[in-house]
Amino acid sequence: INVVQRKVRSRDAARCRRSQETEVFYELAHSLPLPRRIASHLDKAAIMRVTLSYLRMNRLIQSAGLTKTPTEETENPTDAFYQQALAGFILVMTEEGDMVFLSESVSKYIGITQLELLGQNVYEFVHPCDQEELRDILATRPGVSKKKTEKSTEHNFFLRMKSTLTHTGRTVNIKSASWKVLHCTGHMQTFSGDSENAPPAGSFLTLLCEPIPHPSSVEFPLDSNTFLTRHNMDLSFTQCDGRVTELIGYQPDDLIGRSAYEFYHALDFDHVTRSLHILFSKGQVCTSHYRFLAKNGGFVWTETQATVLYNSRTSQPEAVVCLNFILSGVEEADVVFSLEQTCEKPKPRAEKLSVLNEEEEDMEEESSTAKLFLQMKENPEDLLQLAPHSGDAVISLTGAQNHAFLQNLNVCCWS
Amino acid sequence: MSARNTAAGGDDGATGEKPGDALEEEPQGLSVSLSGLMTPTSATGMASGMELPRKRKGSMDNPETKSASNLEEDMEDDQGREPHSQIEKRRRDKMNNLIDELAAMIPTCNPMSRKLDKLTVLRMAVQHLKSLKGATSSFAEANYKPAFLPDDELKHLVLRAADGFLFVVGCDRGKIVFVSESVSKMLNYSRTELIGQSLFDYVHPKDIGKVKEQLSASELYPRERLIDAKTGLQVQAELPVGVARLCSGARRSFFCRMKYNKVTVKEEKDFQAGASKKKESQRYCTVHCTGYMRTWPTHQLGTEGEAETDKESSHFSCLVAVGRVHPHTLPQANGEIKVKPTEFVTRYAMDGKFTFVDQRATTILGYLPQELLGTSCYEYFHLDDLPHLADRHRKVLRSKEKIETNCYKFKTKYGSFVTLQSQWFSFINPWTKEVEYIVSTNTVISGKSNPGGSGDKSEQLSSSKASEDDAKKSQQVPIITGISSASGMIYAGCIGTQIANEIMDYNRMNSSPSSGNTSPFSLLQDKSPLALAQASSNVPNGEVTDVEMPGKSSSEEEARGGAFTAGESLMEGSSQLDLEGVPGLGALSTDEAAMAVIMSLLETDANLGEAVDFDEMHWSL
């Protein structure tokens, strides 16, 4: 009887304690700046994560906020637009990789919600092969000084992060997540807190993370200064959008079979090859500006978003599709840089693989982009696959989406 | 349902442990902490795994939660105890760590030296959060939907991550309805200067069409997008339906050149020189704009939207975008990034033929790029330097390192020599592992038409060169007995070809041999009989395939073309080189011997595979 009584008493005491605790937890949840219905659905661990992130973020803002000027008040109504106007999300993390802030839009890009990520360690979501790179970045401290100064260093890198978004816009379980390449740009900052009370707030990396659009699902319309090319893995051209003629002067035939490496200005060589290295190791990249040598002389400034396509059966990389944004007209058109630009043109070194627009040169060029994709569609396995890394999870697109994609592209070109 | 079970299970742990566990929570938490530390990743992984499904449920606004999980909690007892208690221990451990962290973040907890219990910390955290909320004005009351971070703070983060400015432009006329303060940092215009102006006035004339495309597409495009959304392609779920109907939300991403106002500081100074000022202010920088289309009912236009003229339509559609300037693009306008004028970059094919020439070469060498392109660099090297450069050439083709040459003399268009030093490296196609080309960064060492070889570092090593004062004098090459001056010029092109072939043979030997077809050498052999002997003796099959690899076939093309250009340059070379007493074609036969010496040396090296030692001994430069 005694044993039973004690058991009952202790159980009651424990219950009482737990319920008290739970109550405080939910009180805590509701003091977070979250919509009530969301706050009440957080579990305890999540409450702790989010609370900690909130407090850290608050401290970060306070130590940085001294520079804020009152005039900015006037911009208030439009401040809300930033998040949506950006083609990516904001991520703030500590030196340890704890994610103290993510903008709400994160779920739009990688499917995982803000609350799921807040307070978690970023390494749990980063591709194993990219973790060391990230560690190095987070380790570079911009020199801590005694004074309360804010130093920042710029960073620009590519990370593969887990994404639960499929191309149908559905989200899958985190366990079957795939990798998404994110272009991260931002600054590392070190804050030394107030000398007396607060401990140093430490270093924070503030990043804008932008996914690189996969050529099968470009969300935005492509304007007339953009053309698509397709390459073998050695970067020789295999297909080229006819629009290139008006932009750089080449007929698609001129390029097909040639190595894209021949068309880069030597002064941009370093950063272009660095970008391409990232492309081959991570699956996607966007270059910074480089000079693409134009036909018969001169060059155009170009920025390229490149994506590796994988074979659906073997998961082996098969081709590279580039979305080339031409940023300028032909500059220094009277200067010849390369052998290709001289009259005696070396012949393409590989046999021609396919030529678009051979007899339809006069057709409106709008259709050429779509045709390029139509061609891709005919070899459906090319586009069916987008696993940025071999051995990673694979997302397949269905035929219906391909079709929709074509429609979409048609529309893009039309407009 | 299984997901829900685990979720509930995980949560149960949090909401209420089984009595036994609960009682001994504190001591266990301590004793387990070691093992918990040993496997932190698994613990955190577990935690996240448990939370994720749970949260999704939460965000979908299901009314069911606590009661259900409380029910299930009692059923837990039946399930496997061992793994569960392990999980529990780890969870508690993690929770305790989190509590400690939390305590460290709360000012009121800090001064207290003794460890506070969980409940106290949590209560203090609540107080602290409430005080913060009060300080930074209320999210909850003012905003209908409180955000984790107020918008203005988010804006600061955006600006910190990426230099950019927000702008809103009307679709119909391109009027700038709004632009953020940060534009002054990017484009050096104040926002008041820009608001109300037409965006097109600030866009490069050639980009206006492009920007118009982007603005005008709002009509057609979003309607189609809805269809796309139906097929499930687009990720449109985030958009409220009402907004979507107004054709809003369509994404935009484009680049355009925008005017960069460079003169605000110098304005007074440059007043008199109006022309130059204008030229200065017409600089452009490339802006990457990302954003979306948005439609407002006109009456809602705020104070900043003083777009009176736009009020005729009931809806005002515009582009809301963030423009970002990549810092390195600012000097884009002049095209020339800061590079020393004493430097130029060239690319060679494997065989040393120019495939790319930086225009700075013209000021240094006198040649137009098109004069150099397609010819072999060996045609311009001074004879003295040939062995050294050939050695480096061979080295660079086999190495992934950057190879520095010694100082060497390069013949300018005017017949004089300029002393250069180059850094060579072979660019290897990352995919095929084939040499794509050689990139050479050439630095002028002692200005144009260097009369003496004094600047030549290599000379301190070379006893033969020490005696030379003049580039012209170097016609006599003491070290290669029997070689006569002009032959180098004539056959120079072959050296490169020879080296390229060596390397390809070398590579082929190391990889699988491939069946070849006709040898490009047959062409060469006609031109240079001396190469014939070498080629046939040392190149076992004499075939270099066109088929094998794109990289190879291209250089073959060049090699074949090279045979021609060599021949041509021989002609023009003979006339051009007359001043140096170059013998004509008739001298060919006598030069054969000399070239054979060079070639055999090159060949021997190649076959030895240990080019370095052999070379250094004989040609010590």
Side-chain angles (χ1 to χ4, degrees), chain A residues 119-385:
Chain A
Q120 304 270 20
N121 196 281
V122 73
Y123 294 111
E124 285 171 41
F125 297 89
V126 168
H127 193 287
C129 300
D130 294 348
Q131 292 185 0
E132 198 181 329
E133 185 184 354
L134 181 60
R135 265 191 199 98
D136 287 346
I137 288 162
L138 288 171
T140 52
R141 305 197 58 179
V144 191
S145 65
K146 294 278 175 195
K147 281 186 202 165
K148 194 166 164 187
T149 49
E150 169 187 327
K151 292 181 181 170
S152 59
T153 47
E154 208 180 319
H155 288 290
N156 187 346
F157 58 99
F158 294 83
L159 269 191
R160 280 165 288 180
M161 253 179 112
K162 278 182 191 169
S163 164
T164 57
L165 270 189
T166 69
H167 268 241
T168 57
R170 285 185 304 120
T171 52
V172 295
N173 190 286
I174 185 84
K175 283 183 186 111
S176 40
S178 59
W179 299 108
K180 184 167 248 178
V181 180
L182 299 174
H183 182 196
C184 306
T185 46
H187 291 278
M188 184 82 171
Q189 284 154 308
T190 303
F191 299 110
S192 316
D194 303 296
S195 44
E196 306 98 43
N197 357 344
S203 292
F204 291 90
L205 183 59
T206 308
L207 293 175
L208 169 62
C209 305
E210 295 171 292
I212 299 157
H214 193 275
S216 65
S217 58
V218 180
E219 261 199 313
F220 47 85
L222 305 179
D223 57 43
S224 54
N225 286 29
T226 309
F227 71 96
L228 274 152
T229 54
R230 189 185 159 112
H231 307 256
N232 283 334
M233 289 305 290
D234 64 2
L235 237 57
S236 57
F237 289 89
T238 56
Q239 290 177 0
C240 181
D241 177 342
R243 205 179 267 167
V244 69
T245 310
E246 131 195 18
L247 293 171
I248 326 187
Y250 301 101
Q251 297 294 326
D253 292 21
D254 297 337
L255 295 174
I256 284 164
R258 310 303 314 277
S259 165
Y261 292 109
E262 304 278 348
F263 295 90
Y264 304 138
H265 194 290
L267 291 182
D268 302 322
F269 180 81
D270 283 345
H271 72 251
V272 169
T273 44
R274 214 176 305 128
S275 297
L276 292 170
H277 179 77
I278 295 169
L279 172 71
F280 292 127
S281 59
K282 307 195 178 181
Q284 277 189 310
V285 84
C286 54
T287 67
S288 45
H289 302 350
Y290 68 90
R291 282 159 279 193
F292 193 106
L293 301 180
K295 191 176 185 173
N296 300 329
F299 56 81
V300 290
W301 287 96
T302 309
E303 189 163 321
T304 294
Q305 297 176 343
T307 303
V308 176
L309 300 182
Y310 295 82
N311 184 293
S312 57
R313 282 181 299 275
T314 61
S315 295
Q316 289 304 302
E318 253 189 354
V320 174
V321 172
C322 293
L323 204 49
N324 305 291
F325 299 87
I326 303 299
L327 311 175
S328 71
V330 177
E331 293 184 18
E332 299 179 43
D334 50 338
V335 182
V336 170
F337 292 92
S338 78
L339 198 55
E340 279 78 18
Q341 295 178 320
T342 58
C343 306
E344 31 166 328
K345 270 186 216 79
K347 280 175 204 150
R349 56 197 206 177
E351 56 186 297
K352 283 185 201 169
L353 292 161
S354 68
V355 181
L356 290 171
N357 310 325
E358 270 177 322
E359 57 279 336
E360 286 133 313
E361 220 82 279
D362 48 341
M363 274 188 65
E364 66 264 79
E365 41 102 19
E366 280 87 352
S367 62
S368 59
T369 308
K371 272 173 61 193
L372 175 52
F373 279 92
L374 203 62
Q375 199 141 343
M376 288 180 186
K377 194 193 163 200
E378 278 158 17
N379 314 317
E381 64 270 19
D382 296 347
L383 272 179
L384 281 176
Q385 208 78 9

Side-chain angles (χ1 to χ4, degrees), chain A residues 93-121:
Chain A
M93 57 182 148
T94 65
E95 287 165 282
E96 293 80 31
D98 291 336
M99 297 183 279
V100 293
F101 178 73
L102 295 114
S103 56
E104 265 173 273
S105 52
V106 64
S107 59
K108 199 172 126 196
Y109 300 102
I110 62 170
I112 311 171
T113 63
Q114 182 192 35
L115 285 177
E116 283 168 318
L117 290 164
L118 271 176
Q120 304 270 20
N121 196 281

Side-chain angles (χ1 to χ4, degrees), chain B residues 344-402:
Chain B
F344 63 98
V345 181
T346 50
R347 283 203 293 245
Y348 306 112
M350 263 176 90
D351 60 1
K353 295 212 164 55
F354 285 98
T355 60
F356 180 96
V357 179
D358 177 354
Q359 72 264 45
R360 287 169 300 176
T362 308
T363 47
I364 294 166
L365 305 176
Y367 301 103
L368 287 171
Q370 46 270 53
E371 292 176 283
L372 292 172
L373 291 167
T375 64
S376 168
C377 58
Y378 285 95
E379 293 170 39
Y380 308 92
F381 293 157
H382 194 283
L383 255 188
D384 287 354
D385 302 316
L386 282 181
H388 166 69
L389 292 168
D391 168 52
R392 291 299 146 107
H393 183 184
R394 199 180 306 112
K395 238 180 235 169
V396 80
L397 287 175
R398 290 194 185 169
S399 160
K400 283 180 177 145
E401 308 294 305
K402 296 195 171 183

